[in-house]
Amino acid sequence: NAGVTQTPKFQVLKTGQSMTLQCAQDMNHEYMSWYRQDPGMGLRLIHYSVGAGITDQGEVPNGYNVSRSTTEDFPLRLLSAAPSQTSVYFCASKKGAARTDTQYFGPGTRLTVL
Amino acid sequence: AQSVTQLGSHVSVSEGALVLLRCNYSSSVPPYLFWYVQYPNQGLQLLLKYTTGATLVKGINGFEAEFKKSETSFHLTKPSAHMSDAAEYFCAVSADTGRRALTFGSGTRLQVQP
């Protein structure tokens, strides 16, 4: 199993550009989520999905869109990049929606917005 | 509502010394608690978790943590630090019965001196 994979690993954008961060998992997990990591702030939840076709907002959803057309994939779209979106982005998945389920994290995408 | 506080953004110990990383939580429902480790330029890896049952939880790489409800704490310990333990450590709580996601502390960077 590859686990949770993310592409690209690094990305530099100019203000106003759009892009999609890719996330895929091969563990047949129902629950997937996106976090951003900023220095001194831990990880904060952007969006999450409890299954194909179902998505919802997390703690910091503004400026981001998600969709979940398959169980495996959960892309994150930046609509119009802003410098405040410079961060490291992590995708995670877990078996189901149970609070006890372990979340597995991808290697992250380091995004810089100029 | 839920939150996690990690006391000490940086902790430095000598190789062979005791490691103690502090975590206190706030939760309006019975919490499930997690410790993750992040090595440089990598994703997060689960060290251990507390769900129910025994309050002393053993994890990977010789780490353990004790859930103390009366103190609302879940401190991480290791009897003898190794150079390879140098990393950032995150405490997280799963207490959001809606989103079923993790709320993270701000992280503690552990340095191990030779």
Side-chain angles (χ1 to χ4, degrees), chain B:
Chain B
Q2 58 187 15
S3 65
V4 174
T5 301
Q6 290 185 242
L7 293 175
S9 58
H10 289 83
V11 170
S12 182
V13 301
S14 298
E15 192 173 18
L18 171 72
V19 176
L20 171 61
L21 304 182
R22 299 179 186 274
C23 172
N24 287 88
Y25 69 90
S26 172
S27 174
S28 56
V29 299
Y32 300 126
L33 295 156
F34 301 75
W35 273 100
Y36 281 86
V37 60
Q38 183 182 32
Y39 298 104
N41 300 314
Q42 295 187 26
L44 279 71
Q45 178 184 2
L46 180 71
L47 275 177
L48 50 81
K49 68 179 180 181
Y50 168 77
T51 55
T52 57
T55 56
L56 181 62
V57 181
K58 295 187 184 300
I60 61 172
N61 301 339
F63 284 94
E64 62 183 34
E66 186 171 11
F67 171 62
K68 292 187 177 180
K69 184 177 179 181
S70 62
E71 299 178 7
T72 60
S73 69
F74 191 56
H75 301 329
L76 182 70
T77 60
K78 182 175 181 178
S80 177
H82 193 272
M83 296 295 291
S84 61
D85 294 327
E88 189 152 22
Y89 293 80
F90 292 94
C91 182
V93 62
S94 177
D96 184 333
T97 55
R99 294 170 177 158
R100 308 299 177 111
L102 293 173
T103 295
F104 284 86
S106 55
T108 297
R109 185 166 298 278
L110 176 66
Q111 289 184 311
V112 182
Q113 307 290 346

